[in-house]
Amino acid sequence: QVQLVESGGGLVQPGGSLRLSCAASGFTFSGYTMSWYRQAPGKERELVVAISGSTRYADSVKGRFTISRDYAKNMVYLQMTSLKPEDTAVYYCKAGRGFVNYWGQGTQVTVSS
């Protein structure tokens, strides 16, 4: 059974930091591109960052967010710094390979004073 379980979301003040985690199981982790997406209220889901052999960041998060993956633990992390109110969204972890995509349930990140 495929599972992607996100954690680490919460409420943070502008300028603060959070680290999101995604625990993957039920598939061959090393064979998949891992990504973080986010969806703000009233907006479409958008790619934040993807990692396979290289990384690809959305312009809006470059220099502030860092993705990493631990192949031994089947984990993906998103370190978020210098958070802004516009980063407020539900953040989703995705595993993708060809036409196959698995999604987590999401974790809420709220940036507000």
Side-chain angles (χ1 to χ4, degrees):
Q1 180 184 1
V2 173
Q3 280 194 313
L4 293 171
V5 181
E6 301 98 333
S7 60
L11 173 65
V12 63
Q13 292 187 340
S17 299
L18 279 177
R19 189 174 88 148
L20 305 183
S21 300
C22 172
S25 61
F27 62 99
T28 307
F29 180 74
S30 61
Y32 283 71
T33 296
M34 300 302 298
S35 307
W36 287 96
Y37 282 72
R38 67 185 180 185
Q39 188 167 19
K43 295 188 176 181
E44 293 187 355
R45 193 172 297 188
E46 64 175 358
L47 175 68
V48 176
V49 58
I51 184 169
S52 54
S54 59
T55 56
R56 177 165 54 101
Y57 290 92
D59 288 342
S60 59
V61 306
K62 281 181 182 177
R64 300 189 298 121
F65 291 11
T66 304
I67 191 172
S68 59
R69 66 191 293 175
D70 185 331
Y71 288 93
K73 296 181 179 179
N74 285 6
M75 295 288 295
V76 182
Y77 305 99
L78 183 64
Q79 180 67 49
M80 306 186 293
T81 63
S82 302
L83 282 161
K84 305 175 182 180
E86 51 263 42
D87 294 317
T88 295
V90 178
Y91 283 71
Y92 298 90
C93 177
K94 190 191 89 168
R97 180 177 180 177
F99 295 104
V100 176
N101 292 301
Y102 303 123
W103 291 90
Q105 83 289 348
T107 185
Q108 176 71 47
V109 172
T110 302
V111 185
S112 175
S113 55

